[in-house]
Amino acid sequence: MSILRKAAAGAAAATLCLTGVVASAGSAQASSCTITKWNYTGTYKCGTKVLSADWTANGSVDEVFVIAPNRHIWHVWKNAGGWKEMPGGGRADNTTGYTFWDGVERCVIVYVNSAPHYYQNCFRNGAWHTWTVAGG
């Protein structure tokens, strides 16, 4: 059984890579907002979505994802020791949603304006993997 939470709709089927996508004009000038989760403070791009994932479907937040002003994707969870940059060198303009499948795989979905595409990175077998086009 697949559980879909706040998933991105209309993902294009393509094989573009999330890394190396050129930022849209002015994105480097984005303003910073402060966020504190589990006593860890970080910054994110003002006006973007703070994505709170409930991986266990028990009504509580298990992990939080944000887009930094420089378009890097960051996440934090309880006892993480602080905010961590997502592996794979991904860049995005906003978070859009997440999915999880039978407790085996969980994916975070982001959007890249200049592509324009939704991308996902999935955690399975104890590690995050590469950024791929969501739904592709």
Side-chain angles (χ1 to χ4, degrees):
M1 173 184 207
S2 153
I3 300 174
L4 178 64
R5 298 270 185 217
K6 304 175 188 168
T15 55
L16 298 174
C17 180
L18 179 62
T19 58
V21 174
V22 178
S24 57
S27 63
Q29 310 293 329
S31 58
S32 297
C33 287
T34 302
I35 182 169
T36 301
K37 295 290 182 185
W38 297 289
N39 294 317
Y40 306 123
T41 300
T43 59
Y44 69 101
K45 184 173 142 183
C46 295
T48 59
K49 179 179 178 180
V50 173
L51 181 64
S52 299
D54 177 7
W55 300 125
T56 58
N58 66 359
S60 66
V61 176
D62 298 307
E63 193 166 4
V64 174
F65 298 85
V66 298
I67 305 300
N70 63 2
R71 300 181 65 237
H72 293 230
I73 305 156
W74 289 76
H75 65 138
V76 71
W77 59 96
K78 187 176 182 180
N79 300 320
W83 286 88
K84 313 287 184 191
E85 187 172 353
M86 284 288 293
R91 304 292 180 265
D93 296 297
N94 213 342
T95 61
T96 59
Y98 64 95
T99 62
F100 61 102
W101 310 91
D102 293 333
V104 175
E105 179 176 85
R106 57 186 192 239
C107 303
V108 62
I109 304 165
V110 298
Y111 188 75
V112 177
N113 291 340
S114 62
H117 289 292
Y118 294 93
Y119 289 87
Q120 68 183 13
N121 192 334
C122 299
F123 185 90
R124 64 183 169 282
N125 299 325
W128 288 99
H129 294 272
T130 59
W131 291 97
T132 59
V133 174

